[in-house]
Amino acid sequence: MNRDVSSLTASTVHLSVLDRSRTREGYDGPAALRDTVSLARQAEALGYHRFWVSEHHGVPGVAGSAPTVLAAAVAAATTSIRVGTGGVMLPNHQPLVVAEQFGVLESLFPGRVDMGLGRSVGFTDGIRRALGRDKQDAEDFEARLEELLGWFTGDRAAHPHVRARPSEGLRIPPFLLATGEGAGIAARAGLPLVIGDLRGRDRLLTAVEGYRRDFRPSAWAERPYVVVAGTVAVADSEQEARRLLMPEAWSMAYSRTHGTFPPLLPPERIEALEMTAKERGLYESGLSGHIAGTEDQVADALKSAVEESGADEVLVTTSTYDRAALLDSLRRLARVAGLPSRDLTGAAA
């Protein structure tokens, strides 16, 4: 598929944003959540298609532990951008409760809500115990998914005398977040696929090919729909784009060597750190392979990613310390993609 990234809005390719509500050194969790809501308003003004939030439990560096609650705050602060979850981790929850939460969201913000679902469980053994879950809970994901969707259609075998209110009869688009094996689940269920990351391009393309080959049309989607997700950083120079990536790269390297995921540090603090050889290797690895650079460089790389994958949509996530630089990156990316800015006069403050 040959699609011009400089005119995404004139084609079938959408550009969307996922924000993970990352905490930063010197700023607490509540500040991170307020930053997410603010970023959603800005993404809407820039013309992005969707704004999604994530689910993490007990992670020091992430404030977003209740995605449907946060999605409600985002939807209330915006007027037209689609709002959803990237995603609710279904093994952590009872399907009925998830259905009820999304039913409330769709009832309050009709026609704007997406239900992104994932199959991960808690970050550590301790968190999984606190959630009343273990790794095996991900194994029956397909059954949980079938039950969840059945609460909306009224077509389910479990609990025949129970109805999900106000969910039953509502049409909330479901998306399945997946890597590898999960793409097959999305194909069998006939659901849109969200897959990352763009760094593992060969693995991503193999999974997308299998998804399209095995896709079964369903009440939710008549044809395959692919959202590719990854980190994108755009700046005035390659060096500045690299600085945008540094906080997350160091946080990931630290988590893999110390067992905890820390708040993001400013680049100048990271530059002054003395790293072990292992930390340095993980850190440098975390900086590589992303779509990052100047507007021209990112335009070329993004166009290549879309053409190779045949993606219907690109979901961008960029976690960094400098919020002004993050917003500038999203502005530049919107310009690269030719997104039409929106007049939000009278939008929620």
Side-chain angles (χ1 to χ4, degrees):
M1 297 182 182
N2 188 5
R3 302 179 180 180
D4 185 358
V5 172
S6 67
S7 57
L8 284 176
T9 56
S11 70
T12 59
V13 181
H14 293 297
L15 193 61
S16 301
V17 176
L18 167 67
D19 190 66
R20 296 170 57 222
S21 302
R22 293 286 276 112
T23 60
R24 300 176 290 153
E25 185 180 62
Y27 300 87
D28 58 12
L33 296 173
R34 290 191 293 269
D35 283 343
T36 292
V37 175
S38 176
L39 189 65
R41 294 193 195 101
Q42 293 157 340
E44 179 177 59
L46 290 170
Y48 285 90
H49 183 57
R50 308 180 202 274
F51 189 93
W52 283 5
V53 297
S54 62
E55 175 182 334
H56 297 272
H57 297 281
V59 180
V62 185
S65 56
T68 53
V69 177
L70 184 53
V74 168
T78 55
T79 59
S80 57
I81 194 170
R82 295 197 64 87
V83 176
T85 55
V88 166
M89 297 299 126
L90 191 53
N92 292 337
H93 310 281
Q94 290 294 338
L96 172 61
V97 175
V98 175
E100 290 172 335
Q101 291 173 347
F102 278 97
V104 170
L105 277 173
E106 175 65 16
S107 299
L108 292 172
F109 309 101
R112 292 180 58 205
V113 175
D114 300 319
M115 184 169 60
L117 305 165
R119 56 195 296 268
S120 296
V121 289
F123 186 60
T124 65
D125 288 339
I127 293 171
R128 288 189 286 272
R129 286 194 296 270
L131 290 169
R133 298 291 187 265
D134 59 39
K135 291 182 179 180
Q136 293 181 343
D137 283 296
E139 299 304 315
D140 66 346
F141 177 79
E142 286 191 79
R144 286 173 176 267
L145 178 63
E146 182 179 4
E147 180 185 341
L148 171 62
L149 298 178
W151 289 117
F152 292 98
T153 62
D155 179 21
R156 76 225 168 289
H159 317 291
H161 302 296
V162 181
R163 295 288 183 268
R165 309 292 187 197
S167 312
E168 188 171 316
L170 296 180
R171 298 289 297 178
I172 304 170
F175 295 76
L176 187 60
L177 281 63
T179 56
E181 179 187 349
I185 297 174
R188 289 190 293 274
L191 299 183
L193 172 70
V194 183
I195 187 163
D197 68 27
L198 289 167
R199 293 194 298 170
R201 191 68 57 85
D202 290 342
R203 181 181 178 189
L204 181 149
L205 295 178
T206 297
V208 167
E209 180 182 5
Y211 164 73
R212 288 200 176 98
R213 181 191 63 236
D214 299 333
F215 182 84
R216 301 173 184 171
S218 72
W220 303 100
E222 294 180 354
R223 65 172 186 85
Y225 188 92
V226 175
V227 183
V228 294
T231 296
V232 179
V234 197
D236 193 46
S237 67
E238 286 186 72
Q239 181 179 6
E240 288 303 311
R242 177 183 170 89
R243 288 178 68 82
L244 279 169
L245 300 175
M246 288 170 59
E248 182 74 4
W250 169 245
S251 187
M252 291 295 294
Y254 188 93
S255 73
R256 294 182 63 183
T257 52
H258 294 77
T260 184
F261 203 62
L264 301 174
L265 298 179
E268 55 270 21
R269 285 263 285 114
I270 298 168
E271 290 171 333
L273 293 174
E274 292 186 8
M275 301 183 192
T276 66
K278 183 176 182 180
E279 288 172 340
R280 176 65 65 180
L282 290 169
Y283 170 65
E284 293 294 339
S285 176
L287 289 170
S288 66
H290 301 292
I291 294 180
T294 65
E295 291 181 32
D296 286 344
Q297 290 170 325
V298 167
D300 289 342
L302 197 56
K303 181 177 181 181
S304 176
V306 169
E307 289 179 341
E308 290 177 11
S309 64
D312 299 282
E313 187 168 342
V314 178
L315 182 65
V316 173
T317 179
T318 309
S319 298
T320 194
Y321 184 87
D322 187 336
R323 301 296 292 189
L326 172 60
L327 178 56
D328 180 66
S329 178
L330 288 179
R331 283 197 186 107
R332 291 174 181 272
L333 181 59
R335 184 159 59 232
V336 164
L339 299 184
S341 59
R342 295 170 177 166
D343 180 3
L344 300 182
T345 303

